Amino acid sequence: MELWPWLTAALLGLLLLLRLHRAANFCARIALYCALCLAVSALASLVCLLRHGGRTVENMSIISWFVRGFKYVYGIRFEVRGRPKLEVEQPCVIISNHQSILDMMGLMEVLPRRCVQVAKRELLFLGPVGLVMYLGGVFFINRQRSSTAVSVMADLSERMVRENLKVWIYPEGTRNTNGDLLPFKKGAFYLAIQAQTCSCRPHRRPRCPSLSQVPIIPVVYSSFSSFYDISTKLFTSGTIRVEVLDAVPTSGLTVADVPTLLDTCHQAMRSTFLHISKTPQGDGAAEGSGAQAAQ
């Protein structure tokens, strides 16, 4: 019984350390986030298997329900504008900016029905996290082997039209916390254009009236820097503003139009990001936005 005073004092000391020491608080919150991801992924995987028996996009609604609870643990609020624009009854490519590990919370907050993501292949091997992503229908790309990535995207372009899927992609290709948008990679834009299908010969497809259109819908998240900053070890509660922009049509476009389409989306998203983040405009991410490498 004499141990209780010491244990109580140690616990109070730890809580005080977490409140007063920013780095300790940051590490504790990140550790909790990782633990939550692993535990929730294991539980959600079990529910997905019991509910649907295997890999299907329908599992994403189950995964989304679990992950949306994270915001209550961390005191994160979301202010979403334009959510109905995501509920289109047709295939589309959704693109958004990519900032940190917290993006998963933002993704699940607005995830529309029948929407899958494209993710790097390494995530498939993260134990229960990789399992739940697989069960949710996530498409994994090996970014180190471009031929494999192209094959996966070609398969995805057919499936998204055949199964009426929405596909969510981060066109920056990597996490970015520099207060601006990185140049976009081209994969999402190729996917939207190549997914247009009809029974016409290839050379007639751009003018075919029966062509299945696959628009691009940009989604912009405000900067997390006011409450999450890995460089300064800041991690507190905060508000994330989310803006769903108008769909960008791809009707009649060919692969030759990809650079223009990419630039149009990048400019619209960058302008919105700087506006809702109240971030001074910089020059870094604007340079070279027309010379992106293929995803």
Side-chain angles (χ1 to χ4, degrees):
M1 296 295 295
E2 295 181 356
L3 290 176
W4 284 110
W6 293 102
L7 292 174
T8 302
L11 179 60
L12 290 174
L14 177 61
L15 293 175
L16 182 62
L17 175 64
L18 293 178
R19 289 187 62 87
L20 296 180
H21 196 282
R22 173 179 285 189
N25 179 71
F26 180 86
C27 293
R29 282 176 168 258
I30 292 295
L32 175 61
Y33 188 84
C34 294
L36 280 174
C37 287
L38 292 172
V40 166
S41 295
L43 181 58
S45 295
L46 178 61
V47 175
C48 289
L49 288 171
L50 292 174
R51 181 70 177 84
H52 295 119
R55 177 179 170 88
T56 170
V57 67
E58 302 300 333
N59 282 328
M60 288 308 305
S61 60
I62 297 173
I63 300 168
S64 176
W65 185 85
F66 277 100
V67 175
R68 287 200 303 270
F70 285 26
K71 63 185 177 185
Y72 302 111
V73 176
Y74 286 94
I76 303 295
R77 294 179 61 250
F78 289 91
E79 296 178 357
V80 184
R81 295 182 57 186
R83 189 194 299 266
K85 298 175 185 177
L86 292 172
E87 299 300 338
V88 295
E89 296 297 328
Q90 68 181 106
C92 63
V93 174
I94 303 171
I95 58 175
S96 67
N97 52 316
H98 193 15
Q99 299 183 66
S100 75
I101 59 174
L102 304 185
D103 288 337
M104 180 181 65
M105 295 170 59
L107 167 67
M108 296 302 173
E109 185 70 20
V110 300
L111 190 77
R113 291 183 62 254
R114 300 197 59 77
C115 182
V116 297
Q117 297 80 53
V118 174
K120 59 185 179 181
R121 186 170 177 268
E122 291 84 348
L123 296 177
L124 180 60
F125 305 104
L126 291 182
V129 175
L131 174 61
V132 79
M133 293 176 71
Y134 172 81
L135 292 174
V138 171
F139 280 80
F140 297 96
I141 288 183
N142 186 347
R143 297 188 298 185
Q144 311 305 319
R145 299 180 62 181
S146 58
S147 59
T148 303
V150 170
S151 175
V152 171
M153 295 298 276
D155 177 56
L156 179 54
S157 69
E158 296 178 2
R159 288 190 57 183
M160 66 185 297
V161 174
R162 184 174 66 248
E163 301 176 20
N164 192 26
L165 299 176
K166 302 176 180 71
V167 178
W168 193 297
I169 297 178
Y170 295 106
E172 291 174 284
T174 188
R175 296 172 188 167
N176 167 38
T177 58
N178 69 359
D180 207 332
L181 298 189
L182 294 175
F184 287 172
K185 298 182 183 296
K186 297 178 181 178
F189 307 94
Y190 277 118
L191 177 63
I193 290 175
Q194 292 176 341
Q196 302 177 73
T197 60
C198 71
S199 58
C200 293
R201 296 175 184 175
H203 71 276
R204 291 188 56 197
R205 289 177 58 181
R207 297 183 295 278
C208 177
S210 65
L211 196 64
S212 175
Q213 303 303 329
V214 180
I216 295 175
I217 303 179
V219 179
V220 184
Y221 293 85
S222 62
S223 173
F224 299 169
S225 60
S226 63
F227 64 90
Y228 179 88
D229 189 334
I230 192 171
S231 62
T232 61
K233 299 298 183 287
L234 173 67
F235 194 172
T236 63
S237 58
T239 298
I240 299 174
R241 297 176 179 85
V242 187
E243 187 90 25
V244 183
L245 306 187
D246 292 336
V248 179
T250 60
S251 175
L253 300 183
T254 68
V255 293
D257 299 301
V258 165
T260 300
L261 179 63
L262 181 153
D263 192 55
T264 297
C265 293
H266 188 277
Q267 289 185 28
M269 290 179 65
R270 181 173 185 263
S271 175
T272 302
F273 174 77
L274 296 174
H275 174 70
I276 64 178
S277 303
K278 295 180 172 52
T279 303
Q281 294 212 8
D283 300 323
E287 298 294 331
S289 62
Q292 290 79 4
Q295 183 167 348

